[in-house]
Amino acid sequence: MMRRTPRVSWITNTYLLAGLILAATYWLLESAMHVVLFGEGTFWAQVFTLDPHELSKRLLFSVLVVVFSLYAQHGINVRRRTEAALKISEEKYRTLIEKALNPVFLFDERGRLLEANESALKFFDLSPEQVPSLTTRDLALPEGEQAPDGSTRPMLGKSEINFRVNGGSKSLALNIVPLAVAESEQENFFGIGEDITERKLAEANLRIALDELNQIFQTASSAMRVVDSDFTVLKVNETFAQLAGVGSAAAVGEKCYDIFAGDRCHTEECPLTCVLSGEKEIEYELTKTRKDGSTVTCLLTARPFVDADGHPIAMVESFKDVTELT
């Protein structure tokens, strides 16, 4: 809801009242002056004079004084409302910054820390009393170009930084921008960060898991390949490359029926067709043709590769050479 600014009553308009009092005082003094200095009748006769010249002069002065007081009062009222609006705006944005979930801090061109919100204090494990004594070097923030006085200015722009906090490691996605302050001799900077410690940890764990899975895939004794729904080979292991007589890099990106084709290709018993149709596991013996044209007898096991919703989007094939056994 919009808050309406209350109108100022004329009784509280000090400048208007002062103007009215000044006009009335002038009227009385003018009347007294005519009686004392010029001996023109009684005081009250001068107060209520009907002389056109005297009346016009007094009324003109009184109107000018009242108009000036009205103008001055209007300026005062506008200034008060502006100051009140600025104070509300400052409190609002300060509250937004203080309660923001992202670390936010302010520092000057020498790198001295000026302010920090609650999230920044929590991230760096600082108390409010420590802030005035710290610099960007103490926080291990990236340094930019050197100023003429020898101080090092902070590096502007976006960056991802790892911090050592109380023996542990934290990561922050930081954006440093200049803070424009009108008529300020000192240049200040505004740092807005995002705590990405958990994300970095999750990415590191994911890389480890992927490396482990890839190592298992590559060192498996069975020949294995992954084929998508368009019959394109996505991944093969070294055992498959040796069995098919083709290089690993050459196999990836090719169609499965061109690399290690079998007697079930382009038929209703195609493993990929069966898997995408809903079968959970396929296992049978078939003949495959190697790159050099020779054939091998393989025991095939095929299972679906599903997405996050459980829908099959690819197929994982495993081949075991049973030619000698056959």
Side-chain angles (χ1 to χ4, degrees), residues 26-321:
Y26 167 75
W27 193 290
L28 296 175
L29 289 176
E30 180 74 12
S31 300
M33 184 179 65
H34 278 272
V35 174
V36 175
L37 297 180
F38 304 110
E40 298 178 356
T42 65
F43 174 75
W44 292 111
Q46 287 298 322
V47 171
F48 300 104
T49 182
L50 298 178
D51 182 13
H53 176 72
E54 192 67 28
L55 282 175
S56 61
K57 182 178 65 172
R58 295 182 187 181
L59 287 173
L60 178 61
F61 180 83
S62 299
V63 169
L64 289 176
V65 170
V66 171
V67 169
F68 177 77
S69 64
L70 284 173
Y71 179 77
Q73 186 62 54
H74 173 71
I76 293 296
N77 292 341
V78 170
R79 179 178 177 181
R80 288 175 179 173
R81 286 193 290 266
T82 302
E83 290 176 348
L86 287 175
K87 184 177 181 180
I88 293 174
S89 178
E90 181 183 359
E91 291 176 352
K92 178 175 66 176
Y93 286 106
R94 180 169 291 277
T95 301
L96 288 175
I97 292 175
E98 284 295 332
K99 301 302 179 183
L101 297 179
N102 291 38
V104 179
F105 42 89
L106 179 69
F107 45 91
D108 63 17
E109 57 189 0
R110 295 176 177 270
R112 293 175 299 189
L113 199 62
L114 303 177
E115 293 185 44
N117 70 347
E118 294 179 6
S119 296
L121 295 177
K122 182 178 179 181
F123 181 87
F124 291 107
D125 195 18
L126 301 172
S127 65
E129 293 74 19
Q130 292 176 285
V131 171
S133 62
L134 296 176
T135 66
T136 53
R137 289 187 177 183
D138 298 324
L139 299 181
L141 295 179
E143 297 178 346
E145 60 183 7
Q146 195 172 32
D149 60 359
S151 61
T152 304
R153 308 178 68 177
M155 185 175 69
L156 303 183
K158 298 179 180 180
S159 57
E160 292 188 1
I161 314 168
N162 294 323
F163 297 91
R164 299 295 297 178
V165 180
N166 286 339
S169 178
K170 288 186 176 183
S171 300
L172 188 71
L174 181 63
N175 186 20
I176 299 179
V177 296
L179 181 63
V181 180
E183 301 179 359
S184 176
E185 298 180 356
Q186 188 176 23
E187 187 177 13
N188 293 334
F189 298 88
F190 201 51
I192 306 175
E194 179 184 359
D195 189 350
I196 56 174
T197 305
E198 294 184 2
R199 192 190 80 186
K200 284 289 188 180
L201 181 60
E203 290 176 353
N205 292 334
L206 180 60
R207 284 195 299 269
I208 294 174
L210 290 175
D211 290 342
E212 291 176 349
L213 289 175
N214 186 62
Q215 185 175 358
I216 294 172
F217 182 81
Q218 292 296 339
T219 58
S221 58
S222 298
M224 301 178 67
R225 71 177 175 183
V226 181
V227 182
D228 69 8
S229 58
D230 291 328
F231 299 92
T232 302
V233 178
L234 301 179
K235 192 176 184 66
V236 300
N237 65 356
E238 289 298 327
T239 308
F240 175 87
Q242 294 175 8
L243 178 62
V246 62
S248 300
V252 174
E254 299 293 332
K255 297 299 182 182
C256 61
Y257 45 76
D258 292 331
I259 302 295
F260 209 46
D263 52 14
R264 306 291 178 95
C265 293
H266 307 295
T267 70
E268 294 181 356
E269 296 181 351
C270 167
L272 180 60
T273 302
C274 296
V275 165
L276 295 179
S277 297
E279 295 193 33
K280 300 301 182 183
E281 182 175 283
I282 300 170
E283 184 174 339
Y284 48 67
E285 187 178 292
L286 76 169
T287 302
K288 287 284 188 178
T289 303
R290 305 176 76 247
K291 184 67 174 178
D292 58 6
S294 60
T295 60
V296 291
T297 302
C298 297
L299 180 63
L300 165 70
T301 302
R303 293 184 178 88
F305 187 90
V306 299
D307 60 13
D309 297 324
H311 302 134
I313 57 174
M315 171 186 65
V316 180
E317 288 182 307
S318 174
F319 302 93
K320 186 175 182 180
D321 186 359

